[in-house]
Amino acid sequence: MKLLLLSDSNSVHTIKWATSLAKSGIDIIIFSLAELSVKDYDNIKNINIKTLGEILSRDESTLSKLKYLKALSAIKEIIKEFQPDILHAHYASSYGLLGALSGFSPFVLSVWGSDVFSFPLKSPLHKFILKYNLKKADKILSTSHVMAKETKLYTNKEIEVTPFGVDMEQFKPMEVKSLFEKDNIVIGTLKALETKYGIEYLIRAFKIVSEKYSNLPLKLLIVGGGSLELELKQLVKDLKIDNKTIFTGKIPFVEVPIYHNMLSLFVSVSQSESFGVAIIEASSCAKPVVVSNVGGLPEVVEDGVSGFVVPPKNPQETAEAIEKLALDKNLRERIGKNGRERVKNLYNWSDNVRQMIGIYEELLK
């Protein structure tokens, strides 16, 4: 099978889909608007990267009409030479528009989040573009039910949910060289340090719990980089918990399972999120999780079974959930074990890849 992916080649989502599908023997060309800046595709013979060579984000406003015409011309040339069996665009606005305008069929379109939650609200034209792209697609995919529901506002077509799961062999409970003492109770998160991920509320919740239980060896681990790093470090100092907190900065993806395994419990109290991959990674490592009741997060956590769901922007209720888990090691172990079982049943990456290949094969019948 030959697959043409229209997607950001530097995105971890693209990397994971492309490398996994390539392992299944599919020949892949990835067309990316941005220049390649990662090495994840090195030595994978059946993946080729073609780029427009632009330095840009996925924000469609950075793409001029001229760049679209240039990109469309390049895609049509690739189709002519490569003769793909399937064209799959990841991100329903920018790459989706290129897929729709290419006129190729079968055309698969995956929605990612902001492309359906915010893009169509910008103007009537943006809404028209999204509807047009969805209309042209032979198959529409979403990583979560909440995102599929949002997408249904713009199309009458059926939307299949294709979870973005985790490799359970990579993300599993294991002994790691930790930054902490063995008896420490480590509360933390692995997220970009940006407003939408609500790291401030985790920090304030930790302050409440650590002040209440000053006798316990509670520690806070914040893994990730981002524009709020200095601001959050200052908040930690102001709250006088800097002696209990470690910021790691951005880490390579291969180290993510190591840091998950340093935690006693994982917290993700985002203000908005379409799907919680980091939460699934934590659960796969058998860590109990505390998440906010927004977007796709309540979908990946069964409240009271594989974790606790709390209101967003609420340090007090977040602190109460953290307290329950911090004080009861047996509860942490039970909820962590339930979480890994849930991942096995719903978010096992090998199952997700098989599902995607099945979708492609069905379209080719």
Side-chain angles (χ1 to χ4, degrees):
M1 189 190 297
K2 295 202 283 188
L3 172 67
L4 174 55
L5 281 178
L6 308 184
S7 193
D8 176 5
S9 58
N10 302 311
S11 159
V12 66
H13 294 72
T14 309
I15 293 164
K16 198 165 158 184
W17 275 121
T19 53
S20 299
L21 291 166
K23 277 180 193 169
S24 301
I26 297 174
D27 290 325
I28 298 168
I29 287 182
I30 302 172
F31 177 83
S32 179
L33 292 163
E35 196 64 78
L36 184 66
S37 62
V38 296
K39 295 184 176 180
D40 300 76
Y41 306 105
D42 292 0
N43 306 318
I44 304 177
K45 289 176 182 171
N46 52 333
I47 296 181
N48 282 297
I49 314 291
K50 307 277 186 184
T51 73
L52 192 61
E54 301 291 342
I55 307 299
L56 40 80
S57 69
R58 285 203 311 261
D59 185 357
E60 296 70 27
S61 62
T62 60
L63 287 175
S64 69
K65 290 186 180 101
L66 191 64
K67 283 174 189 168
Y68 265 114
L69 288 171
K70 192 176 162 188
L72 188 59
S73 173
I75 288 164
K76 285 186 172 179
E77 195 58 38
I78 293 166
I79 290 169
K80 191 177 166 184
E81 288 177 18
F82 183 53
Q83 296 194 325
D85 298 299
I86 300 272
L87 185 151
H88 187 166
H90 283 265
Y91 207 67
S93 41
S94 54
Y95 288 104
L97 181 57
L98 290 169
L101 293 173
S102 76
F104 187 88
S105 180
F107 166 40
V108 181
L109 185 55
S110 284
V111 298
W112 276 35
S114 60
D115 49 349
V116 289
F117 283 110
S118 59
F119 178 82
L121 305 179
K122 288 180 181 179
S123 76
L125 176 62
H126 287 79
K127 185 178 177 179
F128 172 81
I129 289 168
L130 178 63
K131 282 183 153 186
Y132 173 79
N133 298 348
L134 294 168
K135 186 181 178 182
K136 286 285 184 179
D138 296 295
K139 187 75 179 176
I140 304 167
L141 309 176
S142 165
T143 50
S144 69
H145 291 278
V146 70
M147 198 155 52
K149 188 179 174 186
E150 190 70 17
T151 309
K152 286 292 280 181
L153 298 174
Y154 306 102
T155 181
N156 293 322
K157 291 181 180 177
E158 183 200 342
I159 297 156
E160 186 164 346
V161 174
T162 50
F164 189 76
V166 298
D167 181 340
M168 294 190 73
E169 275 307 299
Q170 188 182 9
F171 289 89
K172 63 184 178 183
M174 56 184 165
E175 287 292 322
V176 295
K177 189 178 178 184
S178 182
L179 301 171
F180 303 94
E181 300 296 324
K182 207 161 179 65
D183 68 333
N184 287 170
I185 301 165
V186 185
I187 295 138
T189 198
L190 285 81
K191 283 283 179 189
L193 307 186
E194 304 298 343
T195 304
K196 69 177 281 192
Y197 294 119
I199 313 290
E200 172 199 339
Y201 303 104
L202 162 60
I203 292 168
R204 294 188 185 280
F206 178 82
K207 166 69 175 175
I208 293 167
V209 180
S210 62
E211 201 166 54
K212 188 173 178 182
Y213 298 98
S214 54
N215 59 316
L216 287 179
L218 296 168
K219 302 290 178 186
L220 179 60
L221 177 63
I222 296 173
V223 180
S227 63
L228 297 183
E229 189 166 347
L230 293 176
E231 194 179 306
L232 293 171
K233 282 179 175 175
Q234 188 57 52
L235 176 61
V236 160
K237 276 184 186 169
D238 294 345
L239 294 174
K240 298 182 172 57
I241 51 172
D242 47 322
N243 62 326
K244 298 178 178 183
T245 305
I246 292 176
F247 285 86
T248 67
K250 194 172 182 180
I251 60 159
F253 182 71
V254 290
E255 292 178 15
V256 170
I258 296 167
Y259 282 92
H260 273 297
N261 276 287
M262 290 183 197
L263 298 175
S264 308
L265 61 117
F266 179 92
V267 181
S268 177
V269 282
S270 299
Q271 296 177 47
S272 70
E273 198 159 353
S274 53
F275 186 70
V277 179
I279 294 136
I280 296 166
E281 291 169 352
S283 290
S284 191
C285 292
K287 302 299 172 185
V289 297
V290 176
V291 304
S292 50
N293 189 16
V294 298
L297 301 191
E299 215 173 286
V300 299
V301 177
E302 191 175 353
D303 192 21
V305 178
S306 64
F308 292 111
V309 180
V310 298
K313 301 184 186 179
N314 194 319
Q316 188 58 51
E317 289 206 37
T318 303
E320 286 167 15
I322 290 170
E323 182 183 330
K324 274 182 206 169
L325 291 164
L327 296 178
D328 191 338
K329 191 180 179 186
N330 290 335
L331 180 64
R332 289 201 300 273
E333 287 176 357
R334 187 170 78 247
I335 283 189
K337 191 179 171 187
N338 291 345
R340 184 161 168 86
E341 193 60 32
R342 185 172 173 81
V343 172
K344 185 181 167 187
N345 292 334
L346 297 174
Y347 303 110
N348 188 340
W349 182 242
S350 56
D351 294 341
N352 304 152
V353 174
R354 274 195 296 273
Q355 180 190 4
M356 187 66 81
I357 293 168
I359 289 165
Y360 293 161
E361 288 173 343
E362 191 64 34
L363 284 167
L364 293 173
K365 279 181 181 174

